[in-house]
Amino acid sequence: MAACRHLATAARVKNPVVCCGVFDLSPFPDYPEFFATYKMMNVKKHYIYNDSFTLNVLDLNQIELATDEDKAFGLDYFREQRVKVKLA
């Protein structure tokens, strides 16, 4: 996260900075999702702070919630690899 923030602010990048987190735990247990995309938002006025910063979260414990689109992009591959590593 700190690396993405550094890239976005110090370099003043013109291309989007995309951070991807692969979790073996649910960051938001009350709102389970296999793959979710987040943006920084002003809570009071509800505007997106910056379209150049996106946080993508892949929650391996929620594989059963993977959509057809998630599978089409191969996101469920990471879960299969994690299982293979744990069994080896």
Side-chain angles (χ1 to χ4, degrees):
M1 187 73 158
C4 291
R5 185 179 66 232
H6 181 266
L7 285 172
T9 57
R12 303 277 184 223
V13 294
K14 292 189 167 90
N15 295 325
V17 174
V18 178
C19 295
C20 298
V22 179
F23 290 88
D24 194 14
L25 58 97
S26 296
F28 305 104
D30 293 338
Y31 305 97
E33 275 187 273
F34 176 62
F35 179 74
T37 301
Y38 300 94
K39 292 194 176 274
M40 194 179 310
M41 181 186 79
N42 178 301
V43 177
K44 185 177 179 182
K45 296 186 178 186
H46 301 112
Y47 65 86
I48 300 296
Y49 174 71
N50 188 331
D51 279 332
S52 295
F53 182 84
T54 302
L55 178 65
N56 296 295
V57 176
L58 184 64
D59 185 349
L60 298 177
N61 289 324
Q62 303 297 335
I63 186 71
E64 69 280 355
L65 299 177
T67 64
D68 290 336
E69 184 179 22
D70 296 336
K71 293 173 186 175
F73 281 105
L75 296 178
D76 53 334
Y77 168 83
F78 293 102
R79 171 64 181 214
E80 293 170 17
Q81 295 307 308
R82 187 187 125 220
V83 170
K84 287 179 187 176
V85 169
K86 284 191 171 186
L87 294 177

